[in-house]
Amino acid sequence: MSDTDGKKPLGLGGAPRSGQVKQSFSHGRTKSVVVETKRKRVVVPAKPGAGGAAGAGTGATHLGDPSKRPAGISDAEMERRLGALRAAKAREQEDAAKRAEDERQRDEDRQRRRAEIEAKEREERAAADARRLKVEEEEAARRAEAEARVAAAAARKADVLGTRSRTTTPPPEKPAAVAEKPAAKETNAPAQPAAPAEAENNRSSAPAGAKPGLSPRKTDRERDERATDRDRGKTKGDEGRRSGKLTLSDATADEGGRQRSLAAMKRKQEKARQKALGLGLKPEKQVRDVQLPETIVVSELANRMAERAADVVKSLMKMGMMVTMNQAIDADTAELVIEEFGHKAVRVSDSDVEQAIEAVNDRSEDLQTRPPIVTIMGHVDHGKTSLLDAIRKANVVSGEAGGITQHIGAYQVRTPNGALVSFLDTPGHAAFTSMRARGAQVTDIVVLVVAADDAVMPQTIEAIAHAKAAKVPMIVAINKIDKYEANPQKVRTDLLQHDVVVEQMSGDVQDVEVSAKTGKGLDNLLEAIALQAELLELRANPNRSAIGAVIEAKLDVGRGPVATVLVQNGTLRKGDIFVVGEQWGKVRALINDKGETVAEAGPSVPVEVLGLNGTPHAGDVLNVVETEAQAREIAEYREKATKDKRAAAGAATTLEQLMAKAKADQSVAELPVLVKADVQGSAEAIVQALEKVGNAEVRVRVLHYGVGAITDSDVGLAEASNAPIIGFNVRANATARSSAQQKGVEIRYYSIIYDLIDDIKKAASGLLKAEVRENFIGYARIQEVFRITGIGNVAGCLVTEGIARRSAGVRLLRDNVVIHEGTLKTLKRFKDEVKEVQSGQECGMAFERYEDVRAGDVIEIFEREEFQRTLG
């Protein structure tokens, strides 16, 4: 077999050049491969004019000559294709022009940015040069000053040396030749020629006792050596001055010891300058009054003393307490630490933190008139929200699910005469008792809405009780008078049963007939509210720290915890630090009832407050404090007090009570649920309503309730407790939905509280045991007892009443006493097994696992029926 296996080499036609290439592999293997070399086609670009002409000619040729046109292409199609080709070329030219323009703009941008960067660099270099020159000038000035000091020190030293030489004791009288010898040296005169004469003079002037030719005495030699040394020193000094610059080392060379460097002198000068300016002095230690509670964290103690936490920990370690800055210490130990640091300890209790919220007594001259706060209350579907819509000229009813108010709405309305009135719209459903109570506590006036066609209803009575408990005046608004069946007089008469006497019945309670649908009587209602507010003389001080009440609270997905606050006194401003219940925060934004962001809210103004660290409870009081530390401390104290109260309530239960409760709970079926609502008030209302569902056999247990969306942690809790999740106007997030599907947790959404309570009642009813009822269907008397092998005793009976059925239950009565209850093993008529036997007929009966039957006994035949019970 050849290397090519009889196949021709691949080629593209033309005149290829073929050949063989030998390939070498490992282990001495080789292979010949047939290759083919094609000549590369060289395309010579044509001139533009020639190309255009050729193209035009080609196009014309293709269009005119059908033989050169592709098969199946008409003239129109050919023209369309050529047009598309021309359009494509035009687009390419436009794109090329656009790209060129973009490139030009990019170049300009790059050049502009480069110029800006270069200008900035030039400015920075100029600033750096200026700084460098300034530093050099300062350095030269310091160097000149140091040199001046060195020169002054050298001059002082020279003066000291000269003084020492002048104060030296003069030598005794010497011969003239000897005295003139140093002078000759000083004047640098040639001394060699004068030596013989000088020696002769010395010999001639020598004392009488001195022998000629002998050397001078010892004292004379010492004196001459000292003089010579002094002369050498002067010569050296002269040479030093002549040599040039006098350095610091030369000036202090004869003082001995370690010499100070130039840097040390600079440091000394800098210290002297700082001392002159008072910068180097340590501030005087301040003695502080440190408030000391029963227990305090080390870091907080250091913060109150304005000391370093590390120093406080070190002090405690010296006392033998190995603690960290995050641990708490008792008050006695903290007092020792405070005294060690030189401060004064002021003992306070935990409840003293509430003193930061001081009750300011407003002066009468600071008080100003404020708008009245009016709460609209009444039975469900009596037209409260519709009445408020007519006053506000808005439409809130359409925004509520089912047209039923399920939240407290706070609005501010300007009346036709220009006065402001703040309205609170409370729900009328029975489940919202706590909301109505809160509305009555913060209000000035209660408007009781009663439908003229429905008269006084249960929630109307409850609203009257709330108004009386809050001791606020009441105005009765008789609504729906536009209806044909309206009877306002019946409403006034029914109100008498509840101690509400209107003015038309010679009482002191104002009553106004209104129609929310037609708008009739609305002006009269506003006049009545204004008159009542004038009688109350409502005044407040806007120039003080704000105090308000939380009407509603919710957890918004985008904004976090949001509280609807009704300011009662003072002015709440953006940036104020406040504490509300067990939560605290800083006002991040204030939003009024129209959805507008405002900078401040005065008395009687309802606003939404953003910036809380948690969701407060509806009804909590908001107080503005000075610092975040105070707000945090008050909130932590309240939270701790609530936990302690809850723990104390649990600890007060005795063991016997716990055992009795556990034993009682064994026979009670529970339906566990989790509740998540959109606002705090709705969640509380739902929990209160669910706690009322049930009886002695079954009850609903709320495992957890809160505000906000349903989260993955809620699904985990529901799975562990095998409980459904109830969402009221909220939804589960994506992770919670997928987790619930995987774990099989049921999530039910509701927007109307009626439907929620009804479904929970149905679910709780399913836990009730079925009710069993017995229906007596017949009686039979035993006439004779027969013994049959394999079956046992068989009673020969006569059905005296009703019917005897094989599947029914039976009781054996002897002397009207039940001695056995069970079922039948067999029922026969003659020798045949039958299902039932009618009255007046004889039959044979045998009991299941019971044979003590006697003649004369009565058999009672009955059937059991199970009925499913429901909760009312």
Side-chain angles (χ1 to χ4, degrees):
M1 181 180 289
S2 65
D3 293 337
T4 60
D5 294 335
K7 294 181 181 179
K8 294 182 179 180
L10 294 176
L12 298 176
R17 291 178 295 170
S18 60
Q20 287 189 351
V21 175
K22 188 175 183 180
Q23 294 180 335
S24 299
F25 300 97
S26 61
H27 303 287
R29 293 183 293 115
T30 60
K31 181 180 180 182
S32 296
V33 181
V34 178
V35 297
E36 180 177 318
T37 305
K38 295 289 290 183
R39 181 174 297 172
K40 185 176 181 182
R41 182 179 180 183
V42 179
V43 180
V44 179
K47 295 183 179 179
T58 304
T61 303
H62 284 196
L63 184 61
D65 190 2
S67 62
K68 296 183 179 181
R69 187 184 308 164
I73 302 297
S74 62
D75 294 343
E77 178 66 18
M78 197 65 192
E79 182 65 28
R80 187 182 63 79
R81 291 190 179 187
L82 292 175
L85 183 61
R86 287 193 294 271
K89 290 183 178 179
R91 282 196 299 273
E92 287 180 0
Q93 293 176 357
E94 291 176 0
D95 292 342
K98 188 175 180 181
R99 284 195 298 271
E101 180 65 21
D102 292 343
E103 185 65 27
R104 185 182 62 78
Q105 290 181 359
R106 282 195 293 271
D107 291 340
E108 291 178 356
D109 292 342
R110 282 195 293 269
Q111 291 175 2
R112 186 177 65 256
R113 286 196 296 269
R114 189 180 301 111
E116 292 175 354
I117 293 172
E118 289 176 355
K120 188 175 180 181
E121 289 178 352
R122 283 195 298 272
E123 293 176 359
E124 292 177 353
R125 283 196 299 271
D129 293 340
R131 288 194 297 270
R132 182 175 52 76
L133 290 175
K134 185 177 180 181
V135 171
E136 289 178 354
E137 291 175 359
E138 293 177 353
E139 184 68 24
R142 285 196 296 270
R143 192 160 49 246
E145 187 178 356
E147 290 175 358
R149 285 197 300 271
V150 170
R156 285 196 299 272
K157 182 177 180 184
D159 293 342
V160 170
L161 293 175
T163 304
R164 287 179 182 174
S165 64
R166 285 194 298 272
T167 56
T168 306
T169 305
E173 285 294 331
K174 295 197 301 186
V178 176
E180 289 174 1
K181 186 177 180 182
K185 289 184 179 179
E186 285 184 9
T187 57
N188 298 324
Q192 296 298 331
E198 188 177 280
E200 184 63 29
N201 291 336
N202 286 339
R203 286 194 298 272
S204 64
S205 62
K211 294 181 180 180
L214 298 177
S215 62
R217 289 178 297 181
K218 184 178 182 180
T219 55
D220 296 335
R221 288 199 306 272
E222 291 177 355
R223 191 181 304 116
D224 293 340
E225 288 175 0
R226 284 198 298 271
T228 304
D229 293 340
R230 187 162 57 251
D231 293 339
R232 287 177 182 171
K234 289 182 180 179
T235 304
K236 183 178 179 181
D238 294 340
E239 291 175 355
R241 279 195 297 274
R242 285 195 298 272
S243 63
K245 184 177 179 181
L246 179 64
T247 62
L248 184 63
S249 59
D250 293 337
T252 59
D254 296 336
E255 295 182 2
R258 183 179 179 184
Q259 306 302 323
R260 298 187 65 186
S261 64
L262 185 60
M265 295 186 68
K266 289 182 180 178
R267 286 195 298 270
K268 183 178 180 180
Q269 181 186 7
E270 185 67 20
K271 287 180 181 178
R273 187 180 68 83
Q274 290 183 357
K275 186 175 181 181
L277 296 176
L279 300 176
L281 300 176
K282 290 186 178 180
E284 185 179 354
K285 186 176 180 64
Q286 295 183 2
V287 179
R288 303 176 186 273
D289 292 335
V290 181
Q291 292 187 353
L292 185 60
E294 290 152 5
T295 59
I296 187 171
V297 180
V298 174
S299 58
E300 180 64 22
L301 177 61
N303 188 22
R304 294 186 182 186
M305 293 191 300
E307 303 285 351
R308 293 175 61 246
D311 296 338
V312 178
V313 172
K314 189 185 299 182
S315 175
L316 289 168
M317 287 184 176
K318 289 179 181 178
M319 297 180 184
M321 295 184 64
M322 299 295 132
V323 295
T324 63
M325 60 185 296
N326 295 323
Q327 286 181 296
I329 57 176
D330 60 302
D332 295 334
T333 306
E335 186 172 3
L336 294 176
V337 174
I338 292 170
E339 291 176 355
E340 182 179 346
F341 280 90
H343 301 290
K344 295 179 181 178
V346 180
R347 289 291 190 103
V348 295
S349 62
D350 290 341
S351 59
D352 289 342
V353 297
E354 296 278 2
Q355 293 178 358
I357 305 173
E358 298 178 356
V360 180
N361 295 324
D362 298 319
R363 296 179 298 177
S364 58
E365 56 268 21
D366 296 335
L367 298 177
Q368 301 177 11
T369 304
R370 66 173 177 85
I373 302 171
V374 180
T375 299
I376 299 180
M377 304 176 74
H379 191 72
V380 63
D381 202 24
H382 275 200
K384 300 181 295 300
T385 307
S386 300
L387 181 62
L388 184 57
D389 286 346
I391 295 173
R392 296 179 62 231
K393 296 180 176 59
N395 188 10
V396 179
V397 173
S398 61
E400 293 283 358
I404 304 163
T405 301
Q406 300 176 108
H407 306 83
I408 285 186
Y411 313 98
Q412 197 166 36
V413 178
R414 188 174 292 278
T415 59
N417 59 1
L420 286 174
V421 180
S422 297
F423 283 98
L424 297 181
D425 185 18
T426 61
H429 187 257
F432 297 99
T433 302
S434 57
M435 283 192 184
R436 284 190 292 274
R438 281 198 303 275
Q441 288 168 2
V442 300
T443 192
D444 300 317
I445 303 169
V446 170
V447 174
L448 183 64
V449 179
V450 186
D453 61 340
D454 206 10
V456 177
M457 298 300 286
Q459 270 66 59
T460 309
I461 301 169
E462 185 184 298
I464 294 171
H466 287 318
K468 289 182 178 180
K471 296 180 181 179
V472 293
M474 189 187 312
I475 298 174
V476 178
I478 303 175
N479 195 17
K480 301 184 182 181
I481 60 169
D482 56 300
K483 286 193 172 183
Y484 176 76
E485 60 271 17
N487 188 358
Q489 194 61 33
K490 182 177 184 300
V491 174
R492 298 186 181 97
T493 307
D494 290 349
L495 289 174
L496 292 174
Q497 303 176 11
H498 306 285
D499 299 332
V500 178
V501 185
V502 298
E503 289 180 346
Q504 290 194 10
M505 308 290 288
S506 303
D508 57 353
V509 178
Q510 299 183 72
D511 65 313
V512 183
E513 295 182 4
V514 297
S515 172
K517 186 174 182 180
T518 63
K520 180 181 178 181
L522 295 182
D523 294 339
N524 297 334
L525 178 61
L526 293 175
E527 288 178 5
I529 292 172
L531 176 61
Q532 189 66 55
E534 188 176 351
L535 293 175
L536 293 174
E537 295 182 355
L538 303 172
R539 303 172 72 193
N541 179 14
N543 301 318
R544 56 158 290 171
S545 298
I547 298 176
V550 177
I551 303 300
E552 198 60 271
K554 62 182 178 180
L555 185 62
D556 198 304
V557 175
R559 300 183 297 172
V562 180
T564 302
V565 176
L566 182 65
V567 181
Q568 295 172 310
N569 203 354
T571 301
L572 185 63
R573 297 179 176 85
K574 183 178 178 180
D576 284 349
I577 299 167
F578 61 90
V579 59
V580 49
E582 300 175 13
Q583 310 297 334
W584 68 278
K586 184 176 182 180
V587 178
R588 200 170 73 235
L590 296 172
I591 302 173
N592 62 9
D593 58 320
K594 299 179 181 63
E596 302 169 348
T597 302
V598 295
E600 59 182 25
S604 302
V605 177
V607 287
E608 282 188 344
V609 178
L610 279 69
L612 293 98
N613 71 326
T615 307
H617 295 285
D620 287 343
V621 179
L622 180 143
N623 295 96
V624 174
V625 295
E626 294 181 358
T627 61
E628 288 188 12
Q630 287 181 346
R632 190 184 301 108
E633 194 172 8
I634 294 170
E636 289 175 355
Y637 165 71
R638 290 178 177 176
E639 186 177 2
K640 181 175 178 295
T642 303
K643 289 181 180 179
D644 293 344
K645 188 183 297 183
R646 196 181 301 121
T653 307
T654 62
L655 183 60
E656 290 79 5
Q657 291 173 337
L658 287 174
M659 296 297 291
K661 184 176 182 300
K663 188 174 181 181
D665 289 345
Q666 288 180 352
S667 59
V668 179
E670 285 187 344
L671 175 64
V673 294
L674 271 79
V675 177
K676 295 299 285 290
D678 55 343
V679 294
Q680 188 74 28
S682 298
E684 292 177 358
I686 292 170
V687 171
Q688 291 175 3
L690 294 182
E691 287 176 349
K692 297 177 182 178
V693 175
N695 53 20
E697 298 180 27
V698 65
R699 66 186 175 198
V700 178
R701 183 163 66 97
V702 180
L703 298 174
H704 169 71
Y705 75 94
V707 296
I710 300 170
T711 61
D712 202 6
S713 60
D714 298 327
V715 175
L717 178 59
E719 181 200 15
S721 306
N722 195 20
I725 300 176
I726 306 299
F728 187 75
N729 286 332
V730 295
R731 293 294 181 268
N733 55 35
T735 56
R737 284 196 301 269
S738 60
S739 178
Q741 291 176 357
Q742 293 174 1
K743 299 176 180 178
V745 175
E746 182 183 11
I747 301 178
R748 310 198 71 173
Y749 301 120
Y750 296 93
S751 57
I752 300 176
I753 197 168
Y754 295 139
D755 301 338
L756 188 152
I757 295 175
D758 291 343
D759 285 356
I760 293 297
K761 281 184 178 180
K762 291 177 183 177
S765 300
L767 298 177
L768 289 173
K769 295 180 180 179
E771 182 180 357
V772 179
R773 299 177 185 174
E774 291 185 355
N775 295 326
F776 297 100
I777 60 175
Y779 288 91
R781 181 178 296 279
I782 299 177
Q783 304 287 347
E784 190 67 41
V785 177
F786 304 97
R787 181 73 180 177
I788 299 177
T789 305
I791 296 178
N793 291 339
V794 176
C797 306
L798 173 65
V799 179
T800 58
E801 183 179 346
I803 188 172
R805 191 169 287 134
R806 168 74 176 79
S807 59
V810 293
R811 291 192 185 93
L812 183 63
L813 306 180
R814 187 173 294 164
D815 297 332
N816 293 326
V817 176
V818 178
I819 61 173
H820 175 68
E821 180 177 345
T823 57
L824 291 176
K825 182 195 299 185
T826 180
L827 176 64
K828 289 190 176 184
R829 170 91 172 136
F830 298 107
K831 291 185 179 181
D832 299 328
E833 189 76 25
V834 294
K835 292 183 178 180
E836 60 182 28
V837 178
Q838 299 294 329
S839 174
Q841 295 179 352
E842 293 182 347
C843 61
M845 296 183 186
F847 291 89
E848 190 77 40
R849 293 189 296 275
Y850 188 78
E851 295 185 356
D852 184 15
V853 292
R854 301 178 187 177
D857 292 346
V858 177
I859 298 175
E860 184 180 72
I861 307 159
F862 63 90
E863 286 184 344
R864 289 190 177 95
E865 287 184 282
E866 291 186 354
F867 293 91
Q868 186 63 41
R869 299 159 61 197
T870 58
L871 292 172

